[in-house]
Structure formats: C-alpha cells, structure tokens
Amino acid sequence: NNYEEINKLRAEGVTSKYNGKLETYSAMSVVDDFLKNKLTVSFLETFKTCPYAALLGYIYDVKPTEVDMKARNIGTYMHKVFEIYYSNFIGKKVIYDEALLEKTFELIKKNNEYADVYGFELENIEKYIKDFIVFDEERMKNSNYIVKEVEKMITIDVDGHKIKGKIDRVDEDTLSGKLLVLDYKRSKNTEKDSLQLSSYALYYKSSGLSIDAAFVPIVKFEGKISIEPTNTEACEEEIRSLIEKIKTYNFPIIDEASKVRCLMYCDYTSVCKKGRE
C-alpha cells in the first residue's frame, strides 16, 4: 500500500520520487476518515505549504527520523508558562508580578518535561517571556482590553467539516466588545500566514463581533505586536478550497524548495530531496 511504498522510498533515500497521488481504495479511505474525524487548523496550514509533509505527519503519522526536540520544547515551555501565568488574570488586565512568574517557572520545571531546554538557554527564554509580560502590562494599561480566555480548544464547522484548533489567548475590549486573538510564536521565523489566525476568528464569527488578531514572536521581542483585522469570509473560502484539494487524494512534495516555500520546521527534510536542496 501507499504507506509501505513511502517507507520503502524513504529507506532508499529517494522519497521525492513519490508522486503524491493516492490511488488505492485503502489509502483513500484513510484520507476520508481523516477528513471526517481528525481535521485540524495546523494540518490545513501544513497542507497549504506542503501536502506531502501533511500526509506523512498528520494522516499517516509517520515518525520522523530526526526531530529538533530542543526547538519544540522551548516552544512548549513558553506556551505552558503563558497559559499558567495568564490564567491568573482572566477577566482582568494582566500585570507583571515577578514572584508569580518565578512561581510559574518553578511549577513547570518540577514536571521536568522540557529537560533539554535547561541550561544557559532557559535563562534567555525566561528573560524573553518576562520582557513580553512587562510590555503587555503597559499595552493593556493603555487600552480597554482584559484577558478573556487562554488555551481555548475550539471546533470550527465549514460545510459540515469539523476542524479542531487551540487558541493561545483571547483578549476582549470591555467598551466595544471587540476581540483580539493572540498566537505566541517562538520567533518571527515561525510566524505563519493568516490562515491560522483567521480560522480562530472564524470560531467567533457568529458573535457578530469585530475580531483582530496578532502573532506574538517572543524570542528577542521587539516591544511591539502587529495587530491585523481578520477576514472570516476569505478564510472560509480558503478552507473550502483546501478541503477540495484534499479530496483529490493528491499529496505532492512542493514544486519549489526554498526557505520561503518549505516549512520552517519540517520533520521530513532528511527524507525529502527538496528539503535538503
């Protein structure tokens, strides 16, 4: 079947010979099941950039040969700190509380889940987190925003397709009711396009509220965030278009490999000729 064929080509180091087209009933049924039960915003984002990486990573769950766990764990550690810290300020403006932040750091470290983040690097990451919270306190002080929700699990419905996602944080303007959707990124390099943020805004579409969104790059934070309006209609159309492409059972490796086109952190570069070019 296709799964075995991919692994065979992968073992031979010529995965890029794979043309991406699934043609057997069993292979297509796996895609059908995924569409019906397992669609996520992050899958759609990956599929948009490289259908092949989306097939391996999400639909077939092929374990990558190499994973940069340090980069992953830094991101996970940051998200966990923000989740626990900001959960203390639901319905309020955030403030920078050094003791609370230190307590949050220690609480997470006790779990020892992010061992290879530790050492000199951890100190830097904690400084970046601190810098952002100090900035955030000032930003909220001079606005009408309060923290509304953190790490919110959502399901979006597009033409009966259920798409799951998780929003890092939502702020609410207490005067206008306007929402601000925030997504933390490790650095500017890991920011993606607007599909992710617009998908989150789509979840709130029925509220009729105006929804802004922003990526927040935490490492070497530059003291500002770029807030953009979202377009839920365009987002719905884009999701429909991506779902139609998935239904063609075609998962090619992207045509051009470049830092712009390739996924910034792809687990499959070592088995993909294009990713190594």
Side-chain angles (χ1 to χ4, degrees):
N1 63 25
N2 288 82
Y3 183 87
E4 284 167 358
E5 178 67 11
I6 290 168
N7 273 335
K8 182 169 167 286
L9 292 170
R10 173 187 174 195
E12 292 166 7
V14 288
T15 325
S16 51
K17 282 183 181 174
Y18 173 67
N19 68 9
K21 183 73 177 161
L22 303 182
E23 289 167 340
T24 66
Y25 173 77
S26 60
M28 291 190 286
S29 67
V30 171
V31 175
D32 291 339
D33 177 64
F34 186 88
L35 269 173
K36 191 177 176 186
N37 302 307
K38 300 171 190 169
L39 264 184
T40 63
V41 172
S42 56
F43 164 79
L44 290 175
E45 266 197 313
T46 302
F47 179 82
K48 185 179 171 183
T49 306
C50 182
Y52 177 66
L55 175 73
L56 293 189
Y58 290 85
I59 296 178
Y60 279 157
D61 195 22
V62 172
K63 299 302 177 212
T65 49
E66 297 170 15
V67 183
D68 184 354
M69 284 311 292
K70 184 172 279 188
R72 275 195 185 185
N73 284 353
I74 287 170
T76 307
Y77 181 76
M78 274 176 16
H79 276 83
K80 203 73 191 157
V81 170
F82 284 127
E83 177 187 1
I84 292 172
Y85 186 84
Y86 277 92
S87 65
N88 292 284
F89 299 96
I90 303 292
K92 296 185 272 190
K93 290 182 182 296
V94 69
I95 59 167
Y96 171 60
D97 181 328
E98 191 167 6
L100 179 61
L101 186 57
E102 286 302 323
K103 189 177 160 190
T104 304
F105 287 149
E106 291 311 312
L107 181 70
I108 295 167
K109 283 178 208 169
K110 271 183 194 165
N111 295 332
N112 200 32
E113 287 176 58
Y114 318 112
D116 51 5
V117 178
Y118 295 165
F120 76 97
E121 218 164 351
L122 190 66
E123 207 172 291
N124 291 337
I125 295 303
E126 291 180 350
K127 182 189 178 302
Y128 298 138
I129 290 170
K130 199 178 292 184
D131 287 347
F132 175 70
I133 296 172
V134 168
F135 159 83
D136 211 19
E137 175 183 42
E138 198 57 32
R139 180 185 71 85
M140 294 187 88
K141 200 188 288 177
N142 296 306
S143 76
N144 299 310
Y145 280 106
I146 57 168
V147 180
K148 181 180 170 66
E149 293 171 299
V150 295
E151 295 292 315
K152 183 175 178 63
M153 303 299 295
I154 62 166
T155 302
I156 309 156
D157 189 309
V158 176
D159 300 340
H161 291 286
K162 308 279 190 243
I163 306 154
K164 290 184 167 58
K166 183 162 76 170
I167 306 174
D168 289 345
R169 179 171 138 210
V170 184
D171 288 356
E172 181 180 29
D173 186 311
T174 52
L175 284 187
S176 66
K178 178 187 274 196
L179 300 179
L180 173 61
V181 174
L182 298 171
D183 191 82
Y184 305 121
K185 295 293 180 193
R186 204 162 57 84
S187 68
K188 272 188 173 298
N189 293 337
T190 50
E191 287 183 25
K192 299 184 181 176
D193 61 37
S194 59
L195 175 66
Q196 182 182 9
L197 294 178
S198 296
S199 296
Y200 296 159
L202 193 54
Y203 174 77
Y204 292 102
K205 184 183 177 184
S206 60
S207 69
L209 296 168
S210 174
I211 300 151
D212 289 339
F215 286 121
V216 182
I218 300 298
V219 171
K220 294 180 182 165
F221 181 67
E222 293 170 355
K224 61 181 188 295
I225 56 176
S226 181
I227 297 173
E228 307 285 344
T230 56
N231 185 334
T232 50
E233 280 76 16
C235 175
E236 265 188 297
E237 278 311 307
E238 185 170 20
I239 289 173
R240 282 191 188 104
S241 164
L242 290 170
I243 288 172
E244 285 311 306
K245 282 182 183 169
I246 296 162
K247 287 177 179 174
T248 66
Y249 306 103
N250 199 19
F251 296 84
I253 296 169
I254 56 172
D255 296 333
E256 305 157 31
S258 71
K259 283 186 178 169
V260 179
R261 282 298 310 272
C262 267
L263 296 162
M264 181 55 65
Y265 293 102
C266 181
D267 292 331
Y268 304 100
T269 48
S270 62
V271 297
C272 169
K273 180 175 175 287
K274 291 190 181 298
R276 294 196 305 267
E277 281 170 359

